[in-house]
Amino acid sequence: AITLMDDYIYWTDWNKKAMFKAQKFTGECLTVLRNTTHRPYDLKVYHPLRQIKYYNPCNMENGGCSHLCLIAPDHRKGVTFTCACPDQFTLDENDSKTCV
């Protein structure tokens, strides 16, 4: 596996059973990030700058939900949400947002 992030290149090496990083333009600062007893098959970088921006309806005031705001895909609009309640509570039928 191989990936880029900022000024570094990251890769896995099956022969050395390790993950490495180095400066992407010069190859300097070669660093072993992780040794393992098995061959590393994949490598993923999770960073806020690499995440797709999307509208979060639960971000503002919990979507108007009194307890739980659950995001779900909506193929026509991008994302949608539904309100939900913890155990021992039920959703008010009048507004579908308040747990009683």
Side-chain angles (χ1 to χ4, degrees):
I2 189 168
T3 191
L4 290 169
M5 181 65 194
D6 292 332
D7 292 331
Y8 291 94
I9 184 168
Y10 299 83
W11 72 96
T12 59
D13 186 314
W14 280 15
N15 294 326
K16 295 183 180 179
K17 297 180 181 171
M19 290 185 285
F20 296 89
K21 83 171 185 175
Q23 295 255 335
K24 67 181 174 184
F25 295 115
T26 65
E28 295 176 354
C29 300
L30 176 64
T31 307
V32 177
L33 297 173
R34 177 89 169 136
N35 284 321
T36 180
T37 57
H38 303 286
R39 292 178 176 169
Y41 286 98
D42 205 0
L43 181 64
K44 301 268 186 192
V45 174
Y46 291 96
H47 189 279
L49 294 175
R50 295 190 74 166
Q51 305 306 311
I52 297 171
K53 301 272 187 216
Y54 67 93
Y55 169 69
N56 181 351
C58 296
N59 195 34
M60 297 295 289
E61 298 181 9
N62 202 36
C65 303
S66 66
H67 287 74
L68 302 172
C69 183
L70 306 176
I71 300 174
D74 183 345
H75 301 291
R76 294 186 194 112
K77 299 178 186 173
V79 293
T80 186
F81 75 97
T82 55
C83 296
C85 299
D87 291 342
Q88 311 302 321
F89 289 85
T90 58
L91 206 54
D92 186 345
E93 295 177 8
N94 295 324
D95 67 1
S96 297
K97 292 187 175 198
T98 306
C99 297
V100 291

